[in-house]
Amino acid sequence: QVQLVESGGGLVQAGGSLRLSCAASGGRFSGCTMHWYRQAPEQQRELVATITTNGKTNYADSVKGRFTISRDNAKNTVYLQMNSLIPEDTAVYYCKAEYLVYNYWGRGTQVTVSS
């Protein structure tokens, strides 16, 4: 079992930045591929960014060049640095740990971008 707790969300003006954190416990964090998802009201949850166990990253087209995913295995934490935020980035952001066939989710953190 892996427990995940997201933090760092909040209210920010368009053009601003936030850094989300996702702290993991209870499992082998270094062996997990980590993902950030987001879900806006009345929309489906979408994959935002992924980082593999060896540090390879991938991003949704909508956030490329603005968001950066990173991980610190010593701290069992994955980060999402979000720059140049736009109102369309408003959503609840979730992290997910993928380990073999298992997926573990956090409860999410709200990000609101005002215009």
Side-chain angles (χ1 to χ4, degrees):
Q1 279 278 357
V2 177
Q3 291 82 42
L4 303 171
V5 179
E6 301 96 336
S7 61
L11 174 64
V12 63
Q13 287 189 333
S17 298
L18 284 174
R19 188 176 83 153
L20 305 183
S21 300
C22 173
S25 61
R28 185 166 169 259
F29 177 79
S30 61
C32 296
T33 292
M34 299 299 297
H35 310 270
W36 283 99
Y37 284 76
R38 67 185 180 186
Q39 187 167 19
E42 301 182 1
Q43 294 190 21
Q44 289 189 334
R45 193 170 295 189
E46 65 169 340
L47 178 60
V48 174
T50 296
I51 186 165
T52 66
T53 56
N54 61 5
K56 183 177 179 180
T57 59
N58 196 36
Y59 299 92
D61 287 343
S62 58
V63 307
K64 277 181 183 176
R66 299 188 299 121
F67 291 10
T68 302
I69 188 171
S70 61
R71 66 190 297 161
D72 185 338
N73 289 339
K75 296 183 178 179
N76 289 350
T77 301
V78 63
Y79 304 97
L80 187 67
Q81 178 67 43
M82 306 187 296
N83 299 328
S84 302
L85 285 161
I86 58 178
E88 289 77 14
D89 294 320
T90 296
V92 178
Y93 283 71
Y94 300 89
C95 70
K96 184 181 86 170
E98 177 187 347
Y99 182 71
L100 300 178
V101 298
Y102 304 102
N103 292 296
Y104 305 94
W105 290 88
R107 293 189 175 185
T109 185
Q110 175 71 46
V111 171
T112 303
V113 183
S114 63
S115 57

